Amino acid sequence: MALQVLATVGGGGTRLYPLTLSQPKPLVEICDTAIIAVLFRLLAVQGGRRFTLGSKGADNTLELSNYFKAGEGFFKRLGINDPDGFCYQPQYDDKGSADSLRYCMNYFDIKDDIVVVSGDNLIDIDLKKFMNFHHQHEPVLTVAVKEMKADESLSQYGVADIDDDFCIKRFVEKPKTGTEPSRMINTAFYLFSPQIREILQEMGDAARDIGGDLIPYLTEHGYKVYGYPIKGYWIDIGTPEKLHQAAMDVLAGRVKHFAFSHEYKPHQWIHPSTLSKIQGDLDSGEIKLKGNISIGRNCRIERGTIIENSHIGHTSMIERNVEIRNSMVMSFSKIKRGVIMNGAIVGRHSTIGTNCILDAHQPHANGKIPVIGEDLVLPAESTVLPGTRVAPLKYSHMVLATGKFAELGVDDRNIYFTEKAR
């Protein structure tokens, strides 16, 4: 089942600032693996052989191209010997996901069914069943839809107006509570029939966004659109809180297709190059591990450290008497002695100074988490409150130019900011 895949990866990722200030959102890591690589692995082992990345701008395109290149290494690691490779959108300033789809289908002369995915989602889906459903009903588009629980807000999603045969009449975007036509939401995981190429040409410049323009056009002009209900895991990683949730879910085994290597104990994985350095301290109890743990390669962890329900990225250094709970510490980080972390994210190549506190559960917790960006030094004795984000000072103009964040203060190295209330 050879399969064409297009990933829409053109967004700026501002809601994930500061983690996306120097890298595209799809390359932000979950347990040492880029978000988009987790998604692509799922698709490749189920038949995906040609991956096109609908990126735009030098920052996105060059970073993604450097990560995947032509795909040889990606497919080789999965034991796939018949790949068709990776392609990248040329220099074309698309107006959105539908415009990117139109341009890439024309540029690469794609005439087959095509799976279109958002590059910042995690999903568990059986592609064979998904495609069989599509071919059975023969629509122009099949959308993977997810039924949300009764206590979950739908106000940030496109909600399907769908009949008993799973035919979609329309999507209602971000409905107010009580006005939702169903509990089925758009997961931004699509399967288009080849006819979509002609329809996109027919739409012309009106084809900008898939959810906002293309799907309404299809439903309003009588083209068949179906919803395929998925039962497995799905999350849209749009905010630090969603990224943190995804990492905790991966560690807890809720993401079925994410497989760790080098099991140390049940629900605990430690790379051998790290385990060989800390085995004695683990045995003596000088280093304590609790709950779901993932620790990457070539880490140094000193005595007195407690790690609970957390991921430690590769080549990180953790000094004495550190407590890390419910947190993500990304690769090349340095956590100095006496640090306490609970429900926090630390970006790559950053240093957390002596006796700092990063705690999402401090008084006045607001459901948000502390987020430390990449390649920065947090001064000793700092306390980072829930919802506070920290980035190197050189990025202050990028942060504030979005209009989405309020500055909390600066020091000689960093800017401290938070998301504005909506």
Side-chain angles (χ1 to χ4, degrees):
M1 185 176 62
L3 185 64
Q4 296 259 14
V5 178
L6 170 72
T8 55
V9 289
T14 54
R15 290 190 301 156
L16 264 179
Y17 276 3
L19 299 172
T20 48
L21 285 165
S22 59
Q23 68 174 334
K25 179 166 62 169
L27 293 183
V28 173
E29 293 181 349
I30 293 180
C31 299
D32 279 345
T33 304
I35 296 169
I36 195 170
V38 177
L39 177 60
F40 281 2
R41 285 191 315 201
L42 170 73
L43 301 177
V45 299
Q46 296 187 77
R49 292 297 180 267
R50 185 178 189 184
F51 291 83
T52 301
L53 285 90
S55 59
K56 66 177 178 180
D59 291 344
N60 276 342
T61 302
L62 298 183
E63 289 280 347
L64 288 161
S65 176
N66 287 338
Y67 187 91
F68 288 111
K69 298 183 169 54
E72 304 98 324
F74 171 81
F75 287 110
K76 184 177 180 180
R77 284 188 291 274
L78 295 173
I80 294 172
N81 300 315
D82 60 341
D84 199 6
F86 276 64
C87 301
Y88 301 87
Q89 183 171 301
Q91 285 197 44
Y92 173 68
D93 188 18
D94 66 69
K95 303 302 187 291
S97 54
D99 192 22
S100 176
L101 173 62
R102 179 194 62 80
Y103 185 85
C104 288
M105 290 192 79
N106 289 337
Y107 189 90
F108 296 109
D109 196 25
I110 297 171
K111 299 177 180 178
D112 307 310
D113 288 346
I114 185 167
V115 171
V116 178
V117 298
S118 176
D120 55 4
N121 286 356
L122 291 188
I123 189 170
D124 278 324
I125 189 168
D126 185 319
L127 277 186
K128 185 176 181 180
K129 291 181 179 178
F130 181 52
M131 295 185 74
N132 285 345
F133 178 94
H134 180 78
H135 293 145
Q136 176 186 348
H137 292 87
E138 298 183 332
V140 170
L141 166 63
T142 298
V143 183
V145 292
K146 176 75 173 177
E147 185 172 12
M148 304 298 278
K149 297 177 182 177
D151 61 347
E152 294 179 284
S153 172
L154 305 184
S155 61
Q156 296 303 310
Y157 300 109
V159 181
D161 186 351
I162 189 169
D163 66 23
D164 292 340
D165 293 324
F166 302 109
C167 182
I168 294 175
K169 304 171 187 175
R170 59 175 179 145
F171 278 101
V172 178
E173 294 296 326
K174 300 181 179 181
K176 293 181 179 179
T177 302
T179 67
E180 310 92 339
S182 74
R183 303 296 301 175
M184 294 285 189
I185 66 164
N186 183 354
T187 67
F189 191 102
Y190 308 110
L191 178 56
F192 287 99
S193 296
Q195 185 185 359
I196 197 62
R197 186 170 169 179
E198 299 173 9
I199 295 170
L200 287 165
Q201 292 300 112
E202 177 185 306
M203 290 181 68
D205 292 340
R208 297 180 298 273
D209 180 69
I210 291 175
D213 302 301
L214 178 54
I215 295 178
Y217 184 89
L218 294 176
T219 56
E220 290 167 10
H221 286 77
Y223 293 106
K224 287 202 296 184
V225 177
Y226 271 79
Y228 176 79
I230 61 169
K231 302 298 184 183
Y233 186 87
W234 174 81
I235 191 169
D236 171 19
I237 303 174
T239 65
E241 290 71 31
K242 289 293 187 180
L243 174 65
H244 179 269
Q245 179 186 335
M248 297 301 105
D249 290 342
V250 164
L251 288 171
R254 299 187 187 101
V255 185
K256 300 305 181 186
H257 68 273
F258 195 107
F260 288 100
S261 301
H262 313 299
E263 187 175 52
Y264 167 64
K265 289 183 177 180
H267 301 288
Q268 296 183 355
W269 299 269
I270 307 175
H271 193 278
S273 60
T274 297
L275 183 59
S276 64
K277 298 176 185 177
I278 66 173
Q279 183 72 73
D281 289 330
L282 286 171
D283 293 342
S284 67
E286 294 287 349
I287 296 174
K288 292 182 171 63
L289 304 182
K290 302 178 181 180
N292 307 314
I293 303 292
S294 169
I295 303 177
R297 64 189 184 276
N298 299 318
C299 293
R300 188 185 77 194
I301 302 174
E302 296 184 355
R303 295 178 177 179
T305 295
I306 300 172
I307 303 174
E308 180 177 0
N309 294 326
S310 296
H311 167 72
I312 309 299
H314 72 82
T315 325
S316 293
M317 296 187 291
I318 300 173
E319 294 185 354
R320 288 176 175 265
N321 303 321
V322 167
E323 297 181 19
I324 301 175
R325 293 184 168 89
N326 310 304
S327 295
M328 300 173 64
V329 177
M330 296 186 182
S331 54
F332 298 104
S333 295
K334 180 184 290 186
I335 312 298
K336 306 197 87 170
R337 61 180 175 82
V339 168
I340 297 175
M341 294 175 53
N342 188 10
I345 296 176
V346 174
R348 299 176 301 177
H349 210 278
S350 285
T351 298
I352 306 301
T354 304
N355 296 325
C356 286
I357 297 174
L358 291 72
D359 190 354
H361 303 290
Q362 295 177 61
H364 311 297
N366 53 13
K368 304 293 185 179
I369 63 173
V371 186
I372 307 301
E374 299 193 319
D375 195 26
L376 66 76
V377 177
L378 187 68
E381 312 288 340
S382 296
T383 297
V384 184
L385 298 171
T388 297
R389 309 188 193 188
V390 190
L393 193 57
K394 65 181 179 180
Y395 291 115
S396 58
H397 66 290
M398 289 180 62
V399 170
L400 299 178
T402 66
K404 298 177 181 179
F405 302 104
E407 180 183 325
L408 298 175
V410 298
D411 58 30
D412 58 348
R413 293 174 181 246
N414 306 313
I415 179 172
Y416 302 78
F417 59 101
T418 190
E419 190 175 18
K420 288 181 178 178
R422 294 182 180 180

